[in-house]
Amino acid sequence: AVAFLVSCNGKSLKSGMLILTEAPEISGDIDYSQGFMWRYLPGARIIAIRIGESENPVILTKDFYSACFPEVSYDGKFMLFTAQKNEGDPWQIWEMNLRNLKCRKITSFHENCTDPVYLPGERMAFSRETKNDTVGKAHCLYVCKLDGSDLQQITFSPSSNFATTVLKDGRLLTVSTTVIPERGNPILLVMRPDGTKADMFYKGAIKRNVISSVSETNDRHLIFIETSESDPGRGDLISISYNRPLHSRKNLTSGIDGTFRFALPLMHDKFLVSYRRSDSDPFAIYEFDPSVKKLGRLVHSSPAYNAIDAVI
């Protein structure tokens, strides 16, 4: 299942490796409405590892001050990501050719942009910081062509939208947080790629927050990480049914000490998760068996970085 990544010579991609984001610092003080220390991570990098050889990562974004949250295209040939070329620059959307590892800049706004996802028809969706009388200061969703042209705003409510995922039925699922008149709890909001038919898909209990993007399993479940405001340092892996998202919540990690940051399904009985046992440990990538709710073998760790997401 793990495929498409960088060969040891660093000039093309081959199978047998994993792409992931590493960040030197992870803060518990998260601004869900503006994204800082949650989606905008200082000094982050995107690397590729071969499973079983994680001590020799290939750094894909060494020419950037910070880069995070890769999104691989449907054909496995390209990768979108969010990055700052230099410290202090606005965050923008870039695309890397995974055959030759060359990058090109797609967006060039004064405002921060993050969380790009591929759409059919050579298009993408992403979050862009927006300021006006309607939304105040929020991150709205936009779509455009992969050359940056034909820009269209698709959300207009006073809410910030991050960590967008494209579901298998073609709809967008985003972590949405109301910012006016006051900050609300993040919910999962679902919509068509043009922004129409926007509805609440999932809302957790009061004072519980979704803190990761959502991954879809092959058995029609969605998995993500959720924290409680009473214990923001602990993240639990949550599963909901695609058919009954408001009435099927299961906590898969309530009996495990430590905290989780991200989960990626590989098969029905195996996930990859970002996990750390204590605040003094960095986040590392482990296997996880949801059927028995147990961690498996360590896949990747780094003493200087937190591994906070992964893509195939």
Side-chain angles (χ1 to χ4, degrees):
V2 179
F4 318 127
L5 308 180
V6 180
S7 67
C8 292
N9 62 19
K11 296 181 180 180
S12 64
L13 296 187
K14 295 182 180 180
S15 63
M17 300 178 76
L18 193 70
I19 294 176
L20 50 91
T21 299
E22 288 190 326
E25 297 180 8
I26 298 294
S27 172
D29 184 15
I30 296 174
D31 184 341
Y32 294 96
S33 62
Q34 298 304 319
F36 293 102
M37 298 312 296
W38 178 47
R39 309 309 292 174
Y40 299 121
L41 301 173
R45 64 181 187 176
I46 299 173
I47 69 167
I49 62 168
R50 187 176 298 280
I51 300 300
E53 301 176 9
S54 64
E55 66 276 7
N56 295 310
V58 179
I59 303 173
L60 300 181
T61 56
K62 59 185 177 181
D63 295 329
F64 293 84
Y65 164 71
S66 189
C68 48
F69 305 119
E71 167 83 1
V72 174
S73 62
Y74 303 111
D75 59 9
K77 296 179 181 179
F78 297 92
M79 179 183 75
L80 293 171
F81 61 99
T82 303
Q84 283 180 306
K85 184 69 173 178
N86 302 295
E87 186 176 2
D89 288 350
W91 291 80
Q92 298 298 311
I93 308 303
W94 295 71
E95 185 178 51
M96 177 179 288
N97 184 322
L98 294 181
R99 291 177 170 176
N100 56 27
L101 305 188
K102 293 183 178 180
C103 296
R104 65 183 184 90
K105 192 177 184 182
I106 297 179
T107 63
S108 297
F109 300 115
H110 296 297
E111 303 84 12
N112 290 317
C113 300
T114 187
D115 292 307
V117 291
Y118 284 102
L119 296 175
E122 298 295 314
R123 299 178 68 81
M124 72 170 186
F126 63 99
S127 298
R128 177 185 173 188
E129 187 178 25
T130 305
K131 300 178 183 178
N132 57 45
D133 293 339
T134 302
V135 304
K137 182 181 180 181
H139 283 69
C140 298
L141 291 185
Y142 290 75
V143 296
C144 69
K145 293 182 179 178
L146 289 177
D147 61 4
S149 64
D150 193 23
L151 179 70
Q152 299 176 32
Q153 184 177 346
I154 64 170
T155 63
F156 300 88
S157 64
S159 300
S160 278
N161 302 281
F162 291 103
T164 302
T165 299
V166 180
L167 297 175
K168 293 178 182 178
D169 65 10
R171 293 184 295 170
L172 301 179
L173 187 68
T174 188
V175 181
S176 183
T177 307
T178 301
V179 297
I180 294 178
E182 59 186 13
R183 187 184 77 81
N185 283 55
I187 66 169
L188 296 182
L189 186 71
V190 69
M191 69 192 74
R192 292 173 177 172
D194 61 1
T196 59
K197 290 289 185 180
D199 290 302
M200 182 180 69
F201 191 83
Y202 169 81
K203 181 179 181 179
I206 296 176
K207 295 186 177 181
R208 293 197 66 87
N209 299 311
V210 179
I211 66 161
S212 76
S213 59
V214 176
S215 298
E216 191 170 3
T217 69
N218 289 330
D219 61 352
R220 298 181 67 80
H221 284 78
L222 303 177
I223 57 174
F224 52 90
I225 308 302
E226 192 176 78
T227 64
S228 168
E229 291 186 8
S230 63
D231 188 9
R234 178 180 173 83
D236 281 310
L237 175 56
I238 305 300
S239 170
I240 59 175
S241 168
Y242 177 93
N243 295 325
R244 302 183 71 246
L246 294 174
H247 307 284
S248 56
R249 179 185 180 277
K250 293 182 180 179
N251 188 332
L252 301 180
T253 56
S254 58
I256 300 176
D257 293 333
T259 184
F260 292 78
R261 184 80 182 194
F262 178 81
L264 175 71
L266 297 182
M267 295 173 283
H268 75 280
D269 61 347
K270 184 179 293 185
F271 297 167
L272 291 181
V273 295
S274 173
Y275 166 80
R276 69 180 179 188
R277 190 173 303 277
S278 69
D279 292 345
S280 61
D281 298 323
F283 282 96
I285 301 297
Y286 289 83
E287 291 181 350
F288 179 80
D289 187 337
S291 63
V292 296
K293 300 181 181 180
K294 288 186 178 181
L295 288 164
R297 70 183 178 110
L298 175 65
V299 174
H300 170 74
S301 66
S302 172
Y305 286 91
N306 296 276
I308 58 171
D309 77 346
V311 292
I312 296 172

